[in-house]
Amino acid sequence: MTTRWMKPLAGCLVVLFLMAVTLGCKEAEPLPEDTMRAFVEAWRQAQYGSMYDLISADMKQQYTADTFTARYKSIYDGIGMSGLSIQWQPVEPAQDAKSAQGAKTSSGKKTQDQDAGTALYQFHVDMSTFAGPIAYDQTARLVKEKKTDGKTSSWKVRWDSGYIHPKLTDKDKVRVEETPPLRGEIVDRQGLGLAINEVKLEIGIVPKQLPAQPDDAIQKLADLLKMNAKDIQAKLKATWVKPEYFVPVTIISADDQRLEPIVSVPGADYRKKKVRSYPLEEAAAHLVGYIGKISAEELAKYKDKGYQTDDWIGKSGLELAFESTLRGKPGGRIFITDADGKEKATLVRREPANGENVQLTIDAELQLDMYRQLEKDTGAGVALHPLTGEVLAMVSVPAYNPNLFISGVSSEQWKQWSDNPAKPLLNRFARAYTPGSAFKPLTAAIALQNHTLDPDAERSIVGKQWKKDTSWGNYYVTRVSESQSAVNLATALMYSDNIYFAQTALELGAQKFVEEASKFGFGEKWNLPVALDTSTLSNNGKMKNEVQLADSGYGQGEVLMTPLHVAATYTVFANGGTMIKPKLLLNNDEKAVPWKSGLISPEVAKTVTDKMVEVIDNPAGTGHDAQVKGLRLAGKTGTAELKTKKDEAGQENGWFVAFDTEQPRLLTAIVVEQVQDRRGSHYISPKIKSLFSSYAAKKQ
């Protein structure tokens, strides 16, 4: 009996074992969520080709891989998409049943039960765009398809354009409309414009309105605009130009008298446009700077900040330094149009946020006056309020007209700037110069403060040349005049005696000289929105020998200072020994900020100031030509020699630093290059006189 049941039982066990083996070798049934997961992950990673591989066969007949990929990429690039987030989940059974009764996906097909080869998933999309966030909900339909072997199947996505946005159909287009913000203006302390937004006339050409032979018309327009005809022709050949388009050529002022003859040229036209304008033109060019069309390199660097291909951006000066403040935030909208261009829906809209104005401590009238005094020279000038540190003027000459960067710099103009040996594009007030004798009051102040100098003691100095001893070899210090043989501090400053200050520095000693002079801001970075060179006492911070120390005592050697730093050091004399920090942004509630407190005593400050008054008031003083009736000015002239050898001729730069002492409101520092054949620093005296005379008259 046992044997009779065992055989059938054993046979059954074998059959069950073989069935298990067969089932174990069979591929696992594909799941729709695996396809949905892969599709969403590829979407998040912008792998549009991988997404296309997962769409259904019937959809692939409607969309090629290139069309599919291009639609996603062009739309997302155009709207500035970032931060894409996609959440998804299966449709609940109750929802599925309800959907099966008539709900449709974006493809227009009724949902079906998953057992019938259909699966539904809800997904939620969030993204950021240039115009603001976009979010939407959509339903994805997945269908089960047989593979090419006809035996196995896989799940695919029945995709259409509604996945990009529910309001988008296959024939619709996504459009972008950007509204640029109004750029903030840069104004002076009185609110006068230094960089403003002004309505001007944009001159252009409509190609289809040109004569059949356009060369004569283009040449006539070029002559009127003082441009090269080839530059105009190049604009007309741009790839975006169409016959009916207005092709911008240049910008002119709204009251330009050339407008009538310009528009009489066949094909020429104009339109009003609000553009950047620089009222002071060359006078404030290096300070204010200019804006220009964003370059490819800048676009790559700042694209994450919302910049677009045709945007304008600060290129130099304060326009560059305050770019984030002045620019504002662009507005715009993203909308859908149908195949005929008719607008269907706005997806997101953001109003532009205009840029903020920047108000400077600059006095536009003084800025212009200083430029006019220097416009025929090569050099720089700065002006401070000696008690507050407010920067009143910063001028560099020669200069350029920044408005040309708005209207368009011609090739001839660029060549003229580039070939000019005086380098008008170079910002000289940012450059460190050898200060020469303008440094001598600092040497005097340091020595007085350290009690190594008696201001009334007379030194016997005979002849024009002096050296300490034979260890100096053939090197010697030369003074300008040998008229004085008994020299004290007053006569040393008045006659600008190099030997006196060389000896003063040697008496201080190298260590004390470097230690005390460094306290005046040498080697320190400027906390200002304009880039300035760092002033230095020497190339390595030390004096390599006594010769260098002696030369440094009268501002030669390796001493380098920017005009602003020279001016700032003189504030110690107007503030009882405290050096005031220069500032460029106006804040009427902010008090003067000490940069270096108590560098010298009030007594030392007064002593040096009184001696500098003699430089201008005394007829024998080197700065006497700058004397202004009714003003008690203190100052110091200086001539810095740039030579490779002691006895050879070389370039000389002239300095003049001055401030009013009784009611301190103005401190100026001017450096002019190449004064060797123009009476040296005496060349600058009339300029100083004119500046203080005008400023004093204005303030009365």
Side-chain angles (χ1 to χ4, degrees):
M1 182 176 179
T2 302
T3 303
R4 188 170 59 240
W5 284 103
M6 283 294 292
K7 287 182 179 179
L9 181 59
C12 289
L13 289 172
V14 171
V15 171
L16 290 172
F17 174 76
L18 291 174
M19 290 177 63
V21 170
T22 302
L23 290 172
C25 295
K26 189 176 181 180
E27 289 186 13
E29 185 71 18
L31 298 174
E33 54 261 37
D34 293 335
T35 297
M36 186 65 185
R37 183 178 296 106
F39 184 82
V40 168
E41 187 58 30
W43 192 352
R44 288 174 179 150
Q45 300 296 325
Q47 296 172 351
Y48 306 127
S50 298
M51 291 172 65
Y52 184 79
D53 292 340
L54 295 171
I55 71 173
S56 59
D58 57 337
M59 293 297 103
K60 285 182 177 178
Q61 291 178 356
Q62 296 184 37
Y63 312 100
T64 66
D66 289 343
T67 301
F68 179 91
T69 299
R71 190 144 174 81
Y72 267 99
K73 192 172 189 316
S74 62
I75 290 175
Y76 282 175
D77 286 350
I79 66 177
M81 187 277 290
S82 64
L84 179 66
S85 171
I86 307 168
Q87 306 296 325
W88 60 278
Q89 63 180 13
V91 174
E92 296 297 330
Q95 293 176 298
D96 199 355
K98 184 177 180 181
S99 297
Q101 296 175 10
K104 295 183 179 181
T105 65
S106 58
S107 63
K109 303 295 183 180
K110 288 186 177 182
T111 59
Q112 299 177 26
D113 188 88
Q114 182 171 326
D115 293 337
T118 300
L120 300 178
Y121 291 91
Q122 291 179 333
F123 62 91
H124 177 80
V125 177
D126 280 295
M127 67 180 74
S128 297
T129 73
F130 88 95
I134 290 178
Y136 61 87
D137 294 302
Q138 182 60 289
T139 301
R141 175 187 290 274
L142 275 67
V143 293
K144 197 172 186 180
E145 294 182 345
K146 290 287 186 181
K147 292 186 177 180
T148 54
D149 60 10
K151 298 178 181 179
T152 57
S153 59
S154 62
W155 288 92
K156 298 293 184 179
V157 179
R158 296 202 80 246
W159 181 92
D160 64 24
S161 294
Y163 282 51
I164 299 176
H165 195 280
K167 295 181 179 179
L168 186 70
T169 66
D170 290 345
K171 293 183 179 181
D172 293 341
K173 295 184 181 297
V174 176
R175 300 293 189 187
V176 168
E177 184 178 78
E178 184 172 328
T179 308
L182 192 63
R183 191 173 180 87
E185 298 187 334
I186 302 174
V187 298
D188 86 333
R189 61 189 305 110
Q190 304 296 337
L192 298 176
L194 302 176
I196 62 175
N197 304 308
E198 184 178 15
V199 175
K200 292 191 176 183
L201 305 180
E202 185 173 47
I203 305 299
I205 293 176
V206 179
K208 71 177 184 180
Q209 295 177 4
L210 283 168
Q213 300 297 325
D215 290 352
D216 288 345
I218 292 173
Q219 185 61 58
K220 185 176 181 180
L221 182 62
D223 292 341
L224 285 167
L225 296 173
K226 297 180 180 179
M227 294 179 64
N228 190 316
K230 291 181 179 179
D231 291 336
I232 297 178
Q233 289 168 342
K235 295 176 186 291
L236 292 171
K237 292 177 182 177
T239 55
W240 61 268
V241 172
K242 292 185 178 181
E244 68 276 12
Y245 283 7
F246 177 91
V247 182
V249 172
T250 191
I251 302 287
I252 64 174
S253 63
D255 58 355
D256 197 306
Q257 299 301 310
R258 295 174 295 171
L259 180 60
E260 186 174 342
I262 285 172
V263 296
S264 69
V265 176
D269 203 351
Y270 77 96
R271 60 188 181 188
K272 292 182 178 180
K273 185 177 183 180
K274 185 166 282 191
V275 298
R276 202 63 163 174
S277 180
Y278 303 100
L280 266 60
E281 300 180 337
E282 289 89 348
H286 296 91
L287 173 62
V288 176
Y290 61 91
I291 63 172
K293 284 292 184 71
I294 193 168
S295 67
E297 294 79 9
E298 290 167 331
L299 184 60
K301 184 177 180 180
Y302 299 117
K303 195 169 185 179
D304 61 339
K305 295 184 178 181
Y307 284 89
Q308 303 294 322
T309 305
D310 291 329
D311 282 350
W312 292 72
I313 190 171
K315 296 285 187 175
S316 70
L318 298 178
E319 288 277 37
L320 172 60
F322 289 111
E323 171 64 20
S324 60
T325 301
L326 295 167
R327 181 189 179 227
K329 196 169 185 179
R333 67 186 185 111
I334 300 170
F335 58 101
I336 295 174
T337 63
D338 62 18
D340 297 325
K342 184 179 179 181
E343 188 173 329
K344 290 178 57 178
T346 294
L347 303 185
V348 64
R349 180 195 301 270
R350 183 177 66 196
E351 296 301 322
N354 292 335
E356 298 176 29
N357 291 347
V358 173
Q359 187 166 22
L360 307 178
T361 57
I362 293 294
D363 184 315
E365 290 185 34
L366 180 60
Q367 178 83 18
L368 189 58
D369 193 8
M370 181 174 281
Y371 173 75
R372 287 170 176 164
Q373 292 296 326
L374 297 172
E375 63 181 324
K376 295 181 180 179
D377 300 310
T378 298
V382 300
L384 299 177
H385 191 299
L387 302 184
T388 66
E390 293 172 322
V391 180
L392 302 175
M394 297 183 86
V395 171
S396 176
V397 288
Y400 60 91
N401 188 342
N403 290 302
L404 295 178
F405 285 98
I406 308 302
S407 60
V409 177
S410 67
S411 54
E412 286 85 356
Q413 179 63 73
W414 186 257
K415 187 176 188 303
Q416 181 182 331
W417 285 339
S418 301
D419 293 347
N420 188 338
K423 300 180 179 179
L425 297 175
L426 176 65
N427 183 358
R428 285 177 164 82
F429 68 66
R431 177 187 169 194
Y433 286 85
T434 300
S437 296
F439 186 85
K440 290 173 179 175
L442 271 66
T443 300
I446 293 168
L448 289 170
Q449 186 68 23
N450 285 272
H451 308 292
T452 61
L453 177 65
D454 180 349
D456 299 319
E458 293 183 341
R459 290 180 180 160
S460 176
I461 302 176
V462 179
K464 277 192 171 185
Q465 297 176 347
W466 172 86
K467 63 181 178 181
K468 181 182 177 183
D469 53 39
T470 57
S471 67
W472 284 22
N474 295 325
Y475 194 85
Y476 48 84
V477 176
T478 302
R479 60 178 179 166
V480 176
S481 171
E482 57 182 327
S483 63
Q484 303 296 308
S485 57
V487 184
N488 59 18
L489 179 58
T491 52
L493 284 170
M494 195 163 53
Y495 288 91
S496 199
D497 195 309
N498 291 343
I499 296 175
Y500 181 93
F501 288 98
Q503 293 174 350
T504 300
L506 290 170
E507 290 168 358
L508 269 166
Q511 182 177 347
K512 181 59 70 173
F513 177 83
V514 172
E515 178 185 326
E516 295 298 319
S518 295
K519 294 178 182 178
F520 283 78
F522 286 91
E524 296 186 24
K525 299 291 184 182
W526 291 90
N527 185 24
L528 287 171
V530 289
L532 302 173
D533 288 350
T534 300
S535 299
T536 56
L537 282 171
S538 68
N539 296 339
N540 61 5
K542 300 178 180 179
M543 295 290 138
K544 57 178 175 279
N545 53 40
E546 286 187 329
V547 169
Q548 184 181 354
L549 174 59
D551 284 346
S552 299
Y554 57 94
Q556 291 282 158
E558 295 174 355
V559 181
L560 293 172
M561 300 178 73
T562 60
L564 183 62
H565 189 200
V566 171
T569 59
Y570 275 59
T571 63
V572 299
F573 304 118
N575 291 279
T578 292
M579 186 172 163
I580 304 300
K581 180 179 291 187
K583 66 176 183 177
L584 196 52
L585 292 178
L586 185 66
N587 184 344
N588 291 321
D589 298 328
E590 185 181 21
K591 296 181 180 179
V593 179
W595 185 7
K596 309 286 181 180
S597 297
L599 287 176
I600 55 177
S601 69
E603 293 76 21
V604 168
K606 184 178 185 307
T607 296
V608 178
T609 298
D610 290 344
K611 308 307 180 190
M612 286 194 289
V613 169
E614 289 298 303
V615 171
I616 294 175
D617 279 358
N618 194 305
T622 55
H624 183 64
D625 290 345
Q627 187 181 42
V628 178
K629 186 177 180 180
L631 290 181
R632 186 174 184 264
L633 300 182
K636 184 68 189 79
T637 61
T639 303
E641 299 178 348
L642 307 181
K643 302 177 182 179
T644 56
K645 293 182 180 179
K646 193 72 176 176
D647 296 322
E648 70 179 10
Q651 178 178 329
E652 294 180 0
N653 296 336
W655 283 88
F656 204 134
V657 188
F659 63 96
D660 53 337
T661 61
E662 293 178 337
Q663 291 183 316
R665 294 172 299 182
L666 179 63
L667 189 161
T668 64
I670 290 176
V671 57
V672 175
E673 299 178 16
Q674 304 282 1
V675 296
Q676 58 270 20
D677 297 321
R678 295 186 287 176
R679 299 175 59 235
S681 59
H682 295 279
Y683 172 77
I684 308 175
S685 296
K687 303 176 187 295
I688 293 291
K689 181 174 184 174
S690 178
L691 286 171
F692 276 92
S693 297
S694 299
Y695 201 70
K698 185 178 72 170
K699 293 298 180 181
Q700 286 180 354

